[in-house]
Amino acid sequence: MASGSEQVTEQSVQQDTQAAYTVACAFFGEQVLGIGDEDWPLPTACAAWDVRSVVAHVVLGEAMVAELFAGGGVGRVTEVDASVLGSDPVATWRGTAVAALDAASVEGVLGASHLHPLGELPGTVIVGFRVTENIVHGWDLARAVGADVELPVGLAERCLDFWQPLVGSTVGSHVTGGHFADPVVPPDDATAGVRLLALLGRAA
């Protein structure tokens, strides 16, 4: 049985994880709101994905989180079907983001293990993936439409700490493969955001 101090620490970690997820989703949402009607077909840093496909990818990820945290087992999604966005992509994104955040806020869900496509993973690790996806793909959207945006410093530092032990691992390669390219070398004086982007194959 965990001691009182261990329980407090675990609760603090889960609260911090939930807060990071909320801020990351908000960052991605800001970039979605900046997409003009003519921008959806524009290419992005993700090979073969246009703006619409990147948004659909993130939407599918949030939907998976909501299902996982509700006790469902989810098969690995290998292709992005942009038709999931429907006629109102912003509303679709908002609905899935809210559902995922609500699911992640349920007491005990972040500390439990869930049947992720990569195997049994703690809720905190699954959300760690989602925080990265939201801020890096948010940057992808901004860059695609010609906007200049910096990753939130605190979230970038958090994601660097999260990814360092996963780089080169089976789990890390499965998550990054396909939509995150091979790492590039960042400038010596790079910020945390630029270093995170470089780790995931993006030159800021």
Side-chain angles (χ1 to χ4, degrees), residues 117-144:
L118 299 179
E120 290 280 345
L121 295 177
T124 50
V125 171
I126 294 170
V127 169
F129 294 152
R130 299 310 309 156
V131 171
T132 304
E133 292 263 346
N134 273 279
I135 65 171
V136 174
H137 286 316
W139 183 89
D140 290 337
L141 295 181
R143 178 57 64 93

Side-chain angles (χ1 to χ4, degrees), residues 5-6 16 27 31 39 70 85 111 121 149 153 165 167 178-179 184 193 204:
S5 60
E6 289 173 335
D16 183 57
F27 176 82
Q31 314 320 313
D39 295 332
L85 297 180
L121 295 177
V149 66
V153 176
V167 171
H179 50 278
V184 298

Side-chain angles (χ1 to χ4, degrees), residues 32-177:
V32 173
L33 292 174
I35 299 171
D37 292 341
E38 71 284 359
D39 295 332
W40 292 96
L42 292 175
T44 71
C46 301
W49 283 2
D50 60 12
V51 166
R52 184 177 293 274
S53 296
V54 170
V55 176
H57 168 72
V58 173
V59 162
L60 288 168
E62 309 307 2
M64 183 183 72
V65 166
E67 186 171 349
L68 281 177
F69 288 172
V74 181
R76 185 169 178 79
V77 178
T78 57
E79 295 185 3
V80 171
D81 181 1
S83 69
V84 300
L85 297 180
S87 60
D88 191 343
V90 174
T92 301
W93 162 77
R94 184 177 291 112
T96 53
V98 169
L101 289 170
D102 284 348
S105 70
V106 174
E107 184 175 357
V109 76
L110 294 182
S113 292
H114 306 273
L115 187 56
H116 189 274
L118 299 179
E120 290 280 345
L121 295 177
T124 50
V125 171
I126 294 170
V127 169
F129 294 152
R130 299 310 309 156
V131 171
T132 304
E133 292 263 346
N134 273 279
I135 65 171
V136 174
H137 286 316
W139 183 89
D140 290 337
L141 295 181
R143 178 57 64 93
V145 303
D148 185 17
V149 66
E150 294 185 4
L151 300 188
V153 176
L155 286 185
E157 291 175 342
R158 178 190 181 90
C159 289
L160 283 170
D161 289 342
F162 174 79
W163 277 102
Q164 290 300 337
L166 294 177
V167 171
S169 71
T170 300
V171 171
S173 62
H174 275 298
V175 173
T176 57

Side-chain angles (χ1 to χ4, degrees), residues 7-22:
Q7 289 176 340
V8 170
T9 300
E10 181 178 347
Q11 183 179 33
S12 176
V13 168
Q14 293 178 15
Q15 289 175 342
D16 183 57
T17 300
Q18 174 69 19
Y21 193 16
T22 301

